Amino acid sequence: MNFMAIKAYQNADTDLLVEGSDQFGLVKLLYQKLLNHIYQAIDSIEIKNLAGRSEAITEALTIIHVLNSTLDYDKGGEVAVSLSQVYGWSRKALIESNRHKDTESLKEVAKIIEDISLAWETIGQSVAA
């Protein structure tokens, strides 16, 4: 299967997931996609794939922007402020890792996003129950 076919399949899969998702599901999907792009950036750095690295980091930065722009500071209070700070730090770390081809900072970002994603999933399960 060629790269374009794989990309089309991934996009179709994502479109189907979005159509059937609620707010919690959409944010969960964003976290999953963000992590996928971070891991793609790590892999691209390791194999010296400049285009792949740039594309993955650009996509990750876009998702971080979307996550940050959807924060509700009135309802979220301190949690929203903390998430905004984490997203800001993550954005800077992604930009620096792209500049310096640094996989360690990408791994740090991935770990933090994994923790946030797990917490979000737990919240979604408790709300659904």
Side-chain angles (χ1 to χ4, degrees):
M1 194 179 305
N2 69 27
F3 178 73
M4 295 301 284
I6 293 170
K7 189 94 170 148
Y9 175 76
Q10 290 171 335
N11 289 340
D13 186 40
T14 299
D15 291 344
L16 290 173
L17 288 171
V18 168
E19 286 177 17
S21 294
D22 59 3
Q23 178 182 1
F24 283 99
L26 291 174
V27 173
K28 180 181 172 182
L29 179 62
L30 286 171
Y31 284 132
Q32 290 171 346
K33 291 299 225 176
L34 175 56
L35 287 167
N36 287 342
H37 290 301
I38 292 170
Y39 291 127
Q40 287 172 358
I42 291 169
D43 290 344
S44 293
I45 288 171
E46 290 174 349
I47 64 170
K48 299 180 184 355
N49 177 354
L50 176 64
R53 181 190 80 212
S54 295
E55 181 180 339
I57 289 179
T58 298
E59 293 292 333
L61 289 168
T62 300
I63 293 170
I64 289 172
H65 173 73
V66 170
L67 288 166
N68 193 55
S69 67
T70 60
L71 291 172
D72 185 337
Y73 292 94
D74 293 331
K75 292 181 183 175
E78 290 180 31
V79 173
V81 171
S82 294
L83 283 171
S84 181
Q85 291 170 345
V86 169
Y87 296 151
W89 172 83
S90 298
R91 184 181 60 78
K92 289 177 186 173
L94 287 169
I95 291 168
E96 287 300 310
S97 68
N98 192 31
R99 182 180 307 164
H100 300 292
K101 302 171 190 77
D102 175 26
T103 60
E104 290 308 311
S105 60
L106 287 174
K107 290 175 185 175
E108 289 176 33
V109 172
K111 173 65 177 124
I112 290 170
I113 298 301
E114 286 171 353
D115 291 344
I116 294 170
S117 178
L118 180 60
W120 183 257
E121 193 169 331
T122 301
I123 291 168
Q125 290 170 354
S126 67
V127 169

